[in-house]
């Protein structure tokens, strides 16, 4: 038996080192493939959930050009549908979906926008509470006037 035959012999428990490395490469590659699928699915779930919130609220947020590694003259705005409007220094405009960027950039954008969205939501909530309180107070005042009017009607002499 030659050396070559030894490496493929099923009875031989010692494999050639290259075959061991090949098996490791295959296993590691499969794990990378599975992890990449998990990353994509998780990112899709995250952006879809965030889209529901941002579309409902209707907020758009200006984003720092540094997050996308663009020049300082570039203006970027995140729309409620999580698309980015990018206005370059030469006034050319493009629209890109947030999920068209790398995971690192998406995470940086999320780190930047989520606190801003929370602040905008708090401001919106405060405005709504103030409006509701005003309307309730006005409603109570109108009910007093209505009850006074009813008293006057009941006390007026019948002719």
């Amino acid at each position: 038996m030659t050396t070559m035959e030894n490496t493929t012999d099923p009875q031989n428990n010692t494999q050639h080192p290259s075959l061991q490395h090949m098996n490791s490469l295959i296993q590691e590659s499969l794990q990378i493939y599975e992890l990449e699928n998990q990353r994509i699915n998780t990112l899709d779930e995250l952006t879809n959930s965030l889209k529901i919130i941002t579309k409902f609220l209707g907020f758009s947020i200006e984003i720092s050009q540094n997050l996308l590694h663009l020049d300082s003259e570039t203006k970027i705005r995140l729309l409620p549908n999580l698309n980015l409007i990018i206005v370059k220094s030469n006034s050319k405009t493009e629209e890109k979906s947030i999920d068209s960027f790398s995971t690192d950039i998406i995470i940086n954008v999320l780190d930047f926008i989520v606190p801003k969205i929370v602040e905008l939501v708090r401001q919106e909530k405060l405005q709504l509470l103030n409006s509701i309180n005003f309307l309730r107070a006005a409603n109570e005042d109108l009910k007093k006037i209505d009850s006074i009017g009813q008293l006057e009607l009941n006390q007026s002499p019948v002719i």
Side-chain angles (χ1 to χ4, degrees):
M1 224 187 251
T2 67
T3 310
M4 186 67 137
E5 291 170 339
N6 275 342
T7 60
T8 58
D9 182 8
Q11 301 298 324
N12 187 353
N13 287 335
T14 59
Q15 290 183 335
H16 190 276
S18 289
L19 287 177
Q20 291 174 348
H21 289 297
M22 188 64 69
N23 284 333
S24 292
L25 174 63
I26 291 168
Q27 290 304 313
E28 295 293 327
S29 297
L30 285 173
Q31 289 176 13
I32 292 289
Y33 177 79
E34 289 172 8
L35 289 170
E36 182 62 20
N37 280 337
Q38 286 181 22
R39 182 196 67 82
I40 290 169
N41 291 338
T42 304
L43 190 58
D44 284 347
E45 288 175 19
L46 176 70
T47 55
N48 288 335
S49 296
L50 192 56
K51 272 183 200 179
I52 292 168
I53 294 169
T54 55
K55 280 183 178 180
F56 170 74
L57 297 170
F59 296 140
S60 67
I61 299 168
E62 196 159 324
I63 292 181
S64 171
Q65 67 278 4
N66 296 339
L67 295 174
L68 302 182
H69 310 292
L70 299 172
D71 67 79
S72 62
E73 300 296 314
T74 302
K75 303 289 183 214
I76 305 167
R77 182 162 289 279
L78 180 74
L79 301 176
N81 64 1
L82 296 186
N83 284 354
L84 295 164
I85 297 290
I86 302 167
V87 181
K88 296 183 179 180
S89 57
N90 62 2
S91 296
K92 288 193 176 189
T93 302
E94 61 181 307
E95 184 171 345
K96 288 187 174 184
S97 174
I98 193 168
D99 54 13
S100 68
F101 294 96
S102 72
T103 302
D104 290 339
I105 288 178
I106 294 171
I107 289 170
N108 289 339
V109 168
L110 291 175
D111 284 343
F112 183 83
I113 67 165
V114 169
K116 291 187 179 299
I117 291 173
V118 169
E119 185 57 35
L120 290 170
V121 167
R122 287 181 178 149
Q123 290 172 5
E124 180 81 10
K125 185 175 78 173
L126 185 60
Q127 287 177 335
L128 285 170
L129 287 171
N130 287 337
S131 295
I132 290 168
N133 288 335
F134 169 77
L135 293 171
R136 284 182 179 156
N139 198 23
E140 288 300 316
D141 287 345
L142 290 173
K143 284 181 183 177
K144 290 176 190 173
I145 293 172
D146 188 42
S147 62
I148 292 171
Q150 290 298 325
L151 280 175
E152 287 179 0
L153 284 176
N154 290 340
Q155 293 177 0
S156 58
V158 178
I159 305 181

